[in-house]
Every structure is written in structure tokens, then in C-alpha cells.
Amino acid sequence: MAATELRGVVGPGPAAIAAPGGGGAGPPVVGGGGGRGDAGPGSVAASGTVAAAAAGGPGPGTGGVAAGGSGGSGAGGSGSAREGWLFKWTNYIKGYQRRWFVLSNGLLSYYRSKAEMRHTCRGTINLATANITVEDSCNFIISNGGAQTYHLKASSEVERQRWVTALELAKAKAVMMLAESDESGDEESVSQTDKTELQNTLRTLSSKVEDLSTCNDLIAKHGTALQRSLSELESLKLPAESNEKIKQVNERATLFRITSNAMINACRDFLMLAQTHSKKWQKSLQYERDQRIRLEETLEQLAKQHNHLERAFRGATVLPANTPGSAGSGKDQCCSGKGDMSDEDDENEFFDAPEIITMPENLGHKRTGSNISGASSDISLDEQYKHQLEETKKEKRTRIPYKPNYSLNLWSIMKNCIGKELSKIPMPVNFNEPLSMLQRLTEDLEYHELLDRAAKCENSLEQLCYVAAFTVSSYSTTVFRTSKPFNPLLGETFELDRLEENGYRSLCEQVSHHPPAAAHHAESKNGWTLRQEIKITSKFRGKYLSIMPLGTIHCIFHATGHHYTWKKVTTTVHNIIVGKLWIDQSGEIDIVNHKTGDKCNLKFVPYSYFSRDVARKVTGEVTDPSGKVHFALLGTWDEKMECFKVSPVIGENGGDARQRGHEAEESRVMLWKRNPLPKNAENMYYFSELALTLNAWESCTAPTDSRLRPDQRLMENGRWDEANAEKQRLEEKQRLSRKKREAEAMKATEDGTPYDPYKALWFERKKDPVTRELTHIYRGEYWECKEKQDWSSCPDIF
């Protein structure tokens, strides 16, 4: 999604704010999205710190992109990987404008001029989650997780290639740093504890220096005695060779004493320096923390102003009603464009207002300001629980207790999480849905029949079309699911046995805690196996939340041996602070058949308020190893996917040209269509029919199964206060287990005895034979243990 500048909220200066907006393709296609506009000198975006913080990195004023550098387009000053002039698309009136770009530390920032680097950053994009696309000889696009899009043009093809190469290298490093990032806890405010800790540190240093001084005195004393003894030896009548040796030892003893004195003096100087500057450091730290608090308050105030203006804009503008699948064709054509209309005119105002995503009032998850509240229920909790117990006796349940109408101030919790990994931050169950991440992974099998159909295909290219449709279908359940699943405990499992009804059975296990990772294995008697290991990383960026699944998904068809792999795209949750939450998927997926070399490239088009295109659009092409396109795919990730055969025709110059047959609807083949949601789904977390059954109690499951997790069960039954208390208990139990393992590992290291690190119970970590990646692969024996009811190897995690 592109980003536009929201300017002039209450006039120039600190009252302006940068907000995400439209996006899409640029000219000659009408209705494309644009990049961020240039902020005015007094706007919040003008601050390098703020601009970079929105992208998750340091700004120019805090050790980010520094002023200076070379005047050319090569690398220049202050550690920047590359800097130079590029042309950035602004709008259809002014077209491309010359801007000074700086690439540093995985961040691409731009300014109106090189001199402006010292005081005003016009925009920053984080390359860790960015897609870099080359349009033609000089043009290329950088899109960051649906929140920002820059359309750029270099002066030549060579210059464009230099920039693209530098950006790809910077992106690879940023992704590596993101994957290896460790837990970053919240900063605590300056308190008496901090001062006590500092004093204890200084006291310890003083004690150590005194010890060193004592050692120095002893060394000096023994050194003097040693030299006296050596002098006495010299006075004795000894052979000449012995006298020479004694002189050498005497010299070395003198040097040793001089060195010891120098070391003691250096330690004493260090202690004095620490005592002198400790107060200065405390004041600097307090100042930075005060600045952070003021920035948080300003951000909250600006967000409220943005929401107020957004409502005023909607009230003053008459727009035709849009359905969830419509494209908002009633918007004026001049409002659609590749840019933010004008990144020079500070009087223009644009808003991140996706009416296209909004739901009918009777289906919506109502939200006012920063408060979240679910739909209320007319049925008492006792009646719901009684109904639930009756349903568990049946094979499948069709409902769960309605979500209680609890309110919670979201901003009070999320404001301390900006730029941090949310999986490492404890959250109350008010943000959750009563399913774990393992159950959400199992939901990928909602449309398993697509793989059943693919297994029957004799043509590998047709089979690839169905695999692509299955890949897209896994996102259809997320369109209204704005609550987060429970983070599984280490060793937690979830099984789904549908062998008799649907021909498949599935097993998930949480194989790592930090970073959180889950392994999944599903096998079907209809001729396919699906396996994956997914690590979920999420970053809160202030206005939106980026969820980045890392890991490879494998699908193997038994009859043909076709082995497909692909990765997931980035999910973005918008309007975290104020407004109605809505979800977007963006990025590209490459599905590869490792046996035949066939490929399918799927593009998830980020939503753009100014675009006239279909919302949540997905396009794709199926190609053979030579790159020839055989099928084109078209649809949306929340509704349906279609494909049509692409036939080669003779072009005007006598060469082959592709026939674009998607305009003729009769030529399309429906691959997949989303099932309707159950009745009253808006009151049940927008669960699908499969999701409603996932947490239903089943007998004979492993004692580590997610269905037996007490806090999740309490939340599903509407007892949220008890669920929060139980969640804290489970997290503390898991924390103690981790500390125990660390202590055992440390003791084994000290004793020199071997120590086996934690190993998953049902999955084995080894190198994948196809991708050569280290991953967890199902080792077997789970279903045999279930048949015997032998769970003696399962840990006690609940």
C-alpha cells in the first residue's frame, strides 16, 4: 500500500502528521497508488527520529542517516550504504520530482536536497519487509508491507541497477537482523531501583580497585624482596654465566612491578571518571525518557485529531455505498493516482479511510476511539456453556459462547510496544480469540479439497493452479479476524483427525519458544502431504501492525512425486490506535515444483484508497521451466480464485504475443470460492465452520493438546478475568521451566558433562533434502501413541 501525507491537521508545525494512504501502480494505469509525499518543514514527519521510528529504525538525529556524503550517486558519508539523486513520483500534476535518497542500516530515507539531511527527513521506508520491483530500464518500485510505496526513476539503466543491487543487499541484511533479533523488553522509567543499582555498581568497582591496590602492594613488597635476593646473588662469587642470568631476571621483575603500578593507576582513573560522569549520564537518560513520554502523548493526540478529521471528511463527502468486493468506482478520477496528489502542497489533506473494507453495522466489530468491544449476547453464559457441553457430545459443533462486551483501552498497552516484537510481550486475553496459533495453522486446511483435486490432475501445470488456489484460500479466514491467537507454550500440540470424514489428519507442535516456532504435518489418504515450520514475527509501528511469517511450506503429491514449496506474505493490521481495525495482505508468493521446474508467481496487491481496482486483489501466472506462461490466475484472497488458459498468438511484428483472455468470463475456470460464514459469526470472533470445531473437547488427545489449555477454555466460556489470571500462571510456569533448563545447561558446561538441549517430542530438526534449510520434520509415532493411549513421554505444561 502506498502512503500519503496527512498535512495541516491544525496548521503548520508540530500539529501535522504522516499517515498511510493509497497505493498501487502508476501511469499509464489510472488509479495507481503513490509514495509518501514530502512533509512540510514543521510537520512531525520532518523529524528524522519520528520518520525513522515509523519504519522501525533510528532517524538522522539519533544515529541514523547522517548529514554529509558524496555528491554523486555512490556511497558517501557517515556509513551510508549508498546515497544520491533519484526521481520520485509525486502526482499527476507535478510528475517525478528530484529527491536526495540515502540508504543506511536497512532504511531508505529521502530529502528534497542534500543540505536538508541535517534537519528534515521527508520519509523513510524499512527494507526488512519491503518488496523491490523493477518496472523498466530506469523505473523501479519499493513497497513496504502495504503501508508505503515509492515509485522511483534513475537517470540511466546502469544507475537503476546499482540502486536495485544496493537495496537488495540492504534488504537481505535487514531481514537477517530481524530474524536474529532478541527479546527487547520495555524500558523502565528512572526509579529508586535504578539509582540503587548504579550505586551498587560503583561500590563494587571501588571494592575491586581496592583489591587491585592490595595486590599491587603485595607485588611491590615481594618484588622488592626478590630484587634484594637477586642483588645478594650477584654479590656472591658465581660463574659469569650465572650473573648474566640473574641480571635478566632482575630486569624482568622490575618491568613487572612497573606494569602492575600502571594497571592500578588506570583502574583508579576509571573509577574516578565513572563517579564524575554518573550524574551526567543519569540526567541524559532521564531527558531521553521524558522526550519519549512527550512523543507518545503527541502521537496519541495526533491520532485522535486524525480520526476526527477522517470522520469530518466522510461526513462532508458524498460517496456511493461500497460492498466488500467493490472498488469504489464513485471516486473522482482526479483523486486516483500513483502519488499522494502533491507532496509539495501542504494545504492538501488525504486520509487513510478504507470504506471498501468496512462491514455492515450489524456485522461490524464496533470500536470507539481506543476502546475495543465485542458484540453483546442475549444468551446468558450459563446457557451458552450448557449448550456447549451438549454440542461436545456431537461430532461437530456449530457455535461457541458469544464474545462478551468487554472494553479495554488499547492505546494504554500498545503505546509501549512500538517497534517491538509482540510475541515477546505479555498481552491480556482481551486481545485474543479462543484459539491458539497451532489451531490457526491447522485452519490452512479449511479448503483441503483443493489438494484432493490437485492430486488427481495428470497435468503438472493444472495441478499447480490448484496448489496456488489452496495457497490463497488460507488467507480467506483472516479478513475479519482482527484478534490475535494465543501464543502456544513450548511443547504444546494440536491434533485434528478427520481421516474418516475428509481423508486427512493433522498434527502441530510448538517446537521453539524464542523465537516462537511451530511445526505442522498433515497427511491425506487422497494422495498428498503438507508440512511447514512457521516462525511468526510481528512489529507494532504505531498505526499499523506488521505480521511476518518466516518459513517454508511443503506440499508433496504421492503418486507423481511433485514437490511444491512456497512462503507466506506479510499481513498488516491497520488502525491500531483509532478507527475500525482492518486487515490487508501484501507481497508476492513464488510456488515452485522442484521436480518439473514449473513455477507460479502470485501477487497480493496492497489495498489503496485511491485505486479503482478490486480490493484484496490477487493475480498470478503459471509458467513452465522455460518461462512460457500457460495459465493466468485472477481473484481476491477473501472471495475466490479463477484461472484461464493463455494461448500464444502471432504479434504485430510476427513474434509470439500472449493472449489476454481474462476479459472473457466464459473462458475462466473457478478454482476456489470461499464458504459463507456461519450464522451470527460476528458474535463468535468471525470464526468459520472449521474454526468453530477446533477447540471443541475431544477424548483421547495428548495431555499437551491446545483444547486442554485452561486459560483458552476460560476465555471461550466468557470468563475473561479468570482467563487472565490463568494465563499469567501458565506463563510463569513456562518461565520457571526455561530457567531450570538454562541452569542445567550451565551446570553441565561447568562440570564438562554433555547436555542435551530441548528437543521437540514429535518433530525432528534436520536439513530439508529439497530446500537445504534446517527445519523440523515429523518423526512419526504420534498416532500410534494415541491408539495405545501411551502419553508417558509428554511433558506437564498446563
Side-chain angles (χ1 to χ4, degrees):
M1 178 184 295
T4 54
E5 297 270 350
L6 174 60
R7 308 175 190 284
V9 176
V10 287
I17 184 172
V29 180
V30 176
R36 290 173 59 100
D38 296 342
S43 69
V44 173
S47 165
T49 306
V50 176
T62 57
V65 180
S70 67
S73 59
S78 297
S80 60
R82 186 171 183 81
E83 59 183 38
W85 292 106
L86 288 172
F87 292 92
K88 177 181 176 294
W89 177 265
T90 56
N91 53 61
Y92 279 100
I93 298 174
K94 297 189 177 182
Y96 284 95
Q97 296 290 319
R98 195 165 177 250
R99 296 287 180 263
W100 181 262
F101 279 81
V102 177
L103 173 61
S104 177
N105 298 326
L107 301 175
L108 180 66
S109 307
Y110 75 93
Y111 312 82
R112 287 189 184 173
S113 64
K114 186 177 178 181
E116 201 179 55
M117 289 174 60
R118 296 171 183 165
H119 53 82
T120 305
C121 177
R122 300 292 171 176
T124 301
I125 192 167
N126 190 355
L127 297 178
T129 55
N131 292 318
I132 303 166
T133 308
V134 176
E135 277 194 318
D136 52 34
S137 59
C138 296
N139 292 14
F140 59 102
I141 302 172
I142 305 174
S143 178
N144 184 8
Q148 299 165 281
T149 299
Y150 292 171
H151 295 262
L152 305 175
K153 182 166 69 174
S155 57
S156 65
E157 185 174 358
V158 174
E159 184 67 14
R160 185 264 296 160
Q161 189 56 44
R162 287 174 179 168
W163 272 101
V164 170
T165 303
L167 289 166
E168 291 288 359
L169 288 172
K171 176 184 176 181
K173 291 180 181 178
V175 170
M176 190 179 301
M177 290 175 64
L178 181 68
E180 295 175 355
S181 63
D182 199 0
E183 180 174 359
S184 56
D186 295 337
E187 288 188 7
E188 298 178 357
S189 59
V190 174
S191 62
Q192 189 62 36
T193 306
D194 298 323
K195 295 177 181 178
T196 304
E197 184 179 353
L198 184 62
Q199 290 172 356
N200 289 338
T201 303
L202 290 173
R203 202 175 294 117
T204 304
L205 283 172
S206 300
S207 173
K208 296 299 179 184
V209 170
E210 289 176 3
D211 292 344
L212 286 171
S213 181
T214 303
C215 292
N216 180 62
D217 294 339
L218 291 172
I219 289 171
K221 177 181 177 182
H222 294 305
T224 303
L226 177 61
Q227 286 181 333
R228 190 183 306 114
S229 300
L230 290 171
S231 299
E232 292 173 354
L233 284 174
E234 287 179 356
S235 63
L236 296 176
K237 292 182 180 180
L238 296 172
E241 184 179 351
S242 300
N243 289 331
E244 191 66 28
K245 291 288 185 183
I246 291 171
K247 286 181 180 179
Q248 291 179 3
V249 173
N250 196 3
E251 290 173 359
R252 289 178 182 176
T254 304
L255 289 174
F256 178 71
R257 188 171 63 177
I258 293 171
T259 305
S260 301
N261 289 332
M263 180 183 68
I264 294 297
N265 292 334
C267 292
R268 190 174 287 114
D269 293 341
F270 171 76
L271 177 62
M272 292 177 64
L273 186 66
Q275 290 173 336
T276 303
H277 290 277
S278 62
K279 293 183 178 179
K280 179 181 175 182
W281 293 337
Q282 286 185 46
K283 288 181 180 178
S284 299
L285 186 60
Q286 181 64 44
Y287 174 77
E288 292 297 330
R289 285 170 171 162
D290 291 342
Q291 287 288 88
R292 174 183 170 179
I293 293 171
R294 279 194 288 270
L295 181 60
E296 289 173 352
E297 293 172 350
T298 303
L299 179 60
E300 184 175 11
Q301 185 178 12
L302 290 173
K304 291 177 180 178
Q305 293 173 357
H306 168 74
N307 189 46
H308 173 73
L309 284 171
E310 191 176 67
R311 291 178 181 176
F313 173 75
R314 291 179 181 176
T317 307
V318 179
L319 293 174
N322 292 332
T323 61
S326 69
S329 59
K331 299 180 185 68
D332 190 88
Q333 185 170 346
C334 69
C335 290
S336 44
K338 190 174 176 182
D340 48 87
M341 296 300 292
S342 172
D343 69 348
E344 309 288 343
D345 186 359
D346 292 339
E347 294 180 0
N348 290 340
E349 298 179 6
F350 296 95
F351 306 89
D352 181 14
E355 280 92 347
I356 199 167
I357 305 296
T358 59
M359 296 168 285
E361 194 65 29
N362 61 333
L363 290 178
H365 184 190
K366 295 182 180 178
R367 216 161 170 254
T368 304
S370 296
N371 295 329
I372 301 178
S373 61
S376 60
S377 169
D378 295 331
I379 303 175
S380 68
L381 290 178
D382 292 338
E383 292 176 357
Q384 293 172 17
Y385 188 60
K386 181 180 179 182
H387 185 83
Q388 180 192 8
L389 291 177
E390 293 174 354
E391 288 292 329
T392 56
K393 299 175 183 178
K394 302 178 184 179
E395 190 172 356
K396 292 182 184 178
R397 65 179 183 180
T398 58
R399 56 173 293 167
I400 60 174
Y402 284 0
K403 181 179 180 180
N405 187 13
Y406 288 145
S407 295
L408 181 71
N409 187 282
L410 178 61
W411 175 251
S412 64
I413 295 176
M414 299 297 286
K415 68 180 181 180
N416 294 321
C417 306
I418 297 177
K420 293 176 181 169
E421 169 59 64
L422 291 188
S423 64
K424 301 173 184 177
I425 297 173
M427 292 281 186
V429 301
N430 306 55
F431 295 115
N432 289 26
E433 61 181 20
L435 289 178
S436 76
M437 190 63 215
L438 303 181
Q439 291 164 315
R440 283 293 290 267
L441 270 182
T442 307
E443 281 191 75
D444 285 357
L445 300 171
E446 174 101 18
Y447 299 94
H448 61 89
E449 63 272 9
L450 291 171
L451 296 181
D452 295 343
R453 282 186 236 161
K456 297 177 183 177
C457 290
E458 297 179 358
N459 185 309
S460 63
L461 295 169
E462 292 179 4
Q463 186 180 73
L464 185 49
C465 290
Y466 281 106
V467 174
F470 173 79
T471 302
V472 176
S473 72
S474 63
Y475 295 97
S476 64
T477 60
T478 67
V479 63
F480 298 133
R481 301 272 288 278
T482 54
S483 300
K484 68 181 287 291
F486 279 79
N487 292 331
L489 303 173
L490 185 63
E492 186 174 334
T493 60
F494 178 74
E495 66 157 77
L496 185 66
D497 190 351
R498 296 287 170 86
L499 203 59
E500 294 182 3
E501 311 143 74
N502 305 118
Y504 74 87
R505 57 187 181 184
S506 162
L507 175 68
C508 292
E509 180 180 1
Q510 187 75 0
V511 295
S512 173
H513 181 55
H514 281 316
H520 179 206
H521 180 90
E523 54 190 16
S524 172
K525 64 182 181 183
N526 295 323
W528 54 265
T529 297
L530 184 78
R531 59 180 174 87
Q532 58 183 320
E533 180 183 347
I534 298 295
K535 299 179 179 68
I536 300 293
T537 62
S538 55
K539 293 287 185 179
F540 177 49
R541 302 301 186 186
K543 187 175 173 66
Y544 64 92
L545 170 67
S546 293
I547 302 166
M548 296 148 286
L550 306 175
T552 304
I553 305 170
H554 298 254
C555 183
I556 304 102
F557 292 96
H558 307 159
T560 59
H562 291 165
H563 190 139
Y564 298 90
T565 62
W566 66 90
K567 296 178 183 291
K568 290 180 176 285
V569 296
T570 298
T571 300
T572 307
V573 184
H574 294 269
N575 290 347
I576 293 291
I577 302 174
V578 289
K580 185 172 291 184
L581 291 173
W582 60 280
I583 291 176
D584 197 19
Q585 315 286 349
S586 59
E588 295 187 17
I589 294 178
D590 288 317
I591 308 173
V592 181
N593 185 336
H594 292 273
K595 182 178 180 181
T596 64
D598 301 334
K599 293 183 180 179
C600 176
N601 176 256
L602 293 173
K603 294 182 179 180
F604 287 67
V605 181
Y607 169 76
S608 168
Y609 177 64
F610 294 107
S611 175
R612 308 171 75 91
D613 211 342
V614 178
R616 313 182 188 108
K617 183 179 179 181
V618 180
T619 60
E621 291 181 339
V622 175
T623 59
D624 60 21
S626 67
K628 180 182 177 182
V629 179
H630 290 264
F631 291 94
L633 291 85
L634 186 67
T636 59
W637 54 263
D638 69 317
E639 195 63 37
K640 63 181 180 180
M641 284 298 293
E642 298 174 323
C643 76
F644 56 89
K645 197 172 183 64
V646 177
S647 304
V649 295
I650 304 300
E652 295 179 0
N653 56 359
D656 287 346
R658 260 191 292 160
Q659 181 182 3
R660 305 300 296 175
H662 63 276
E663 294 181 0
E665 294 192 10
E666 62 273 9
S667 65
R668 301 182 189 178
V669 176
M670 179 71 71
L671 295 172
W672 160 76
K673 187 174 183 181
R674 180 173 65 92
N675 297 328
L677 288 173
K679 185 179 179 182
N680 297 322
E682 69 277 9
N683 298 331
M684 298 183 290
Y685 308 89
Y686 289 98
F687 281 177
S688 63
E689 289 184 359
L690 175 64
L692 287 173
T693 67
L694 292 179
N695 207 43
W697 185 85
E698 292 185 11
S699 60
C700 303
T701 59
T704 54
D705 196 90
S706 298
R707 300 176 180 89
L708 304 176
R709 181 166 173 165
D711 54 346
Q712 188 172 302
R713 181 66 63 188
L714 287 166
M715 186 208 170
E716 182 182 273
N717 293 331
R719 297 156 65 180
W720 285 16
D721 291 337
E722 296 174 59
N724 276 316
E726 190 65 20
K727 184 172 182 287
Q728 291 181 7
R729 182 189 69 82
L730 291 174
E731 289 172 347
E732 183 61 27
K733 183 177 182 179
Q734 181 174 237
R735 201 173 293 116
L736 292 174
S737 298
R738 188 184 74 242
K739 289 181 179 178
K740 182 181 178 182
R741 287 194 301 272
E742 291 173 350
E744 291 174 353
M746 187 176 295
K747 187 175 185 301
T749 304
E750 292 173 353
D751 298 343
T753 57
Y755 174 76
D756 292 331
Y758 177 83
K759 292 182 181 178
L761 187 57
W762 310 110
F763 290 80
E764 182 180 4
R765 192 167 188 260
K766 55 186 177 181
K767 185 174 289 188
D768 186 271
V770 175
T771 62
R772 314 304 297 172
E773 299 173 341
L774 276 176
T775 185
H776 282 84
I777 298 177
Y778 179 57
R779 71 167 82 226
E781 300 181 2
Y782 178 86
W783 303 107
E784 291 78 7
C785 288
K786 181 181 179 181
E787 187 176 349
K788 300 174 186 175
Q789 281 299 290
D790 178 14
W791 302 118
S792 56
S793 58
C794 292
D796 175 22
I797 60 174
F798 299 142

